[in-house]
Amino acid sequence: IQPLDYTDFYASLHHATNVGSMFRPDNPLLPNYKHIPIGYHGRASSIVPSGTPVRRPVGQQAPAEEGGSPQFGPCKMLDFELEMGMIIGRGNELGEPISIADAEDHVFGMCIVNDWSARDLQKWEYQPLGPFLAKSFATSVSPYIVTMEALAPFRTPAFARAAGDPQPLPYLDSDYNRTSGGIDITCEVWLASEQMRSRDLAPVRLCKSSFKDLYWTLAQFVTHHTVNGCNLQPGDLLASGTISGATRDSRGSMLELTWDGDPWANPPVVVPGTQRTPIKLPTGEERKFLADGDEVIIKAYCEGEGFRRIGFGECRGTIEAART
């Protein structure tokens, strides 16, 4: 495939709450989050297959002190994002929305996505229009597409909304989506530093989460994307956004894994600012974000009693030093 367009959603309630708590402890979720699948248009030209090296991006970063000038140089807070993607099979005509009942007929299959992120660039640029250079330098995808038919045995109900949460508007709702809109896909991220590989040490698992825990379903992605008449095209990539769970070891990015807050604890523990606990590797190295030479390996699979386990292959990428 050669995607002509790429859209990235923000469908994990846990991820959105974690990230929101870092910057808005008193109001982590914006008012629209539980009403609308949030997404942004990404850069299709920089989608690369698994195994393609990822060059550390260079760009502007926030001033070191209030009122100062922005800094310029290599990204200091390079991150991965654990995501799943869907490939559009049959598109729609411009001006013709796709209903929730027909949405999955337009999805060919799914793959693994790593939406690499330059967090320090993103922090400086994202207001008021959202991600730009912090996301467009590379997005890695796995080399296999698993068809929707193969995933049928692993369907689950859509995410169970908490009492008091708004129900989706009618155009985003159906009996089938409520009972079978989710998919039980286990997702894992592994890391091997350059030093680990030189010493023949096995990669370490950083996190494990599940696609079924997303607040919004893939059918809702397609329906909302086209409700205004936007035309999807064969080969387009729609990604889920970071897949995170309620526990620390299920957080799908370094931004969350090394953060010391826990908005899901009882009572919530939210630590404003930048306090972080690094991840310790078997070599004695520590990571708050990714270092040059680090290889990130994302795996995903479905399994259930009575059914053949289905894997999505791997999505790999190794960080190369920035150009000077």
Side-chain angles (χ1 to χ4, degrees), residues 234-257:
D236 282 356
L237 174 65
L238 276 58
S240 62
T242 304
I243 303 169
S244 294
T247 58
R248 186 163 189 153
D249 62 357
S250 64
R251 298 175 180 179
S253 67
M254 297 287 279
L255 182 68
E256 298 167 88
L257 284 167

Side-chain angles (χ1 to χ4, degrees), residues 38-227:
I38 302 297
Y40 73 92
H41 293 288
R43 182 73 183 176
S45 65
S46 54
I47 296 172
V48 296
S50 173
T52 304
V54 175
R55 177 78 64 177
R56 181 178 295 272
V58 172
Q60 284 195 35
Q61 297 140 39
E65 55 188 33
E66 188 173 351
S69 298
Q71 304 174 63
F72 180 83
C75 166
K76 301 180 184 69
M77 301 170 67
L78 186 57
D79 203 355
F80 64 83
E81 287 195 345
L82 165 59
E83 306 193 19
M84 296 297 297
M86 71 182 77
I87 307 299
I88 296 300
R90 178 165 56 90
N92 60 302
E93 295 297 324
L94 184 66
E96 296 294 328
I98 299 173
S99 72
I100 189 84
D102 296 333
E104 290 195 17
D105 291 339
H106 292 260
V107 180
F108 173 57
M110 298 185 65
C111 63
I112 304 170
V113 174
N114 185 346
D115 185 36
W116 304 93
S117 298
R119 300 298 186 186
D120 42 359
L121 276 62
Q122 184 176 359
K123 180 181 178 182
W124 177 235
E125 73 179 8
Y126 84 101
Q127 292 179 326
L129 294 181
F132 184 33
L133 301 185
K135 298 280 192 174
S136 61
F137 59 95
T139 300
S140 299
V141 295
S142 57
Y144 300 104
I145 299 173
V146 179
T147 64
M148 299 309 296
E149 290 83 356
L151 296 173
F154 309 102
R155 302 306 297 248
T156 68
F159 185 86
R161 297 190 170 210
D165 277 11
Q167 293 303 306
L169 293 179
Y171 80 97
L172 289 171
D173 193 22
S174 73
D175 290 341
Y176 176 79
N177 191 69
R178 285 193 297 271
T179 61
S180 305
I183 309 175
D184 189 3
I185 306 173
T186 299
C187 307
E188 301 176 348
V189 178
W190 299 72
L191 177 69
S193 70
E194 187 171 25
Q195 189 179 148
M196 289 170 63
R197 296 195 304 277
S198 70
R199 293 167 56 178
D200 292 327
L201 296 176
V204 295
R205 192 174 72 187
L206 299 183
C207 66
K208 179 180 180 181
S209 57
S210 178
F211 183 80
K212 70 179 180 181
D213 291 333
L214 294 184
Y215 197 78
W216 298 97
T217 67
L218 52 81
Q220 289 169 327
F221 294 165
V222 172
T223 297
H224 183 67
H225 203 315
T226 63
V227 72

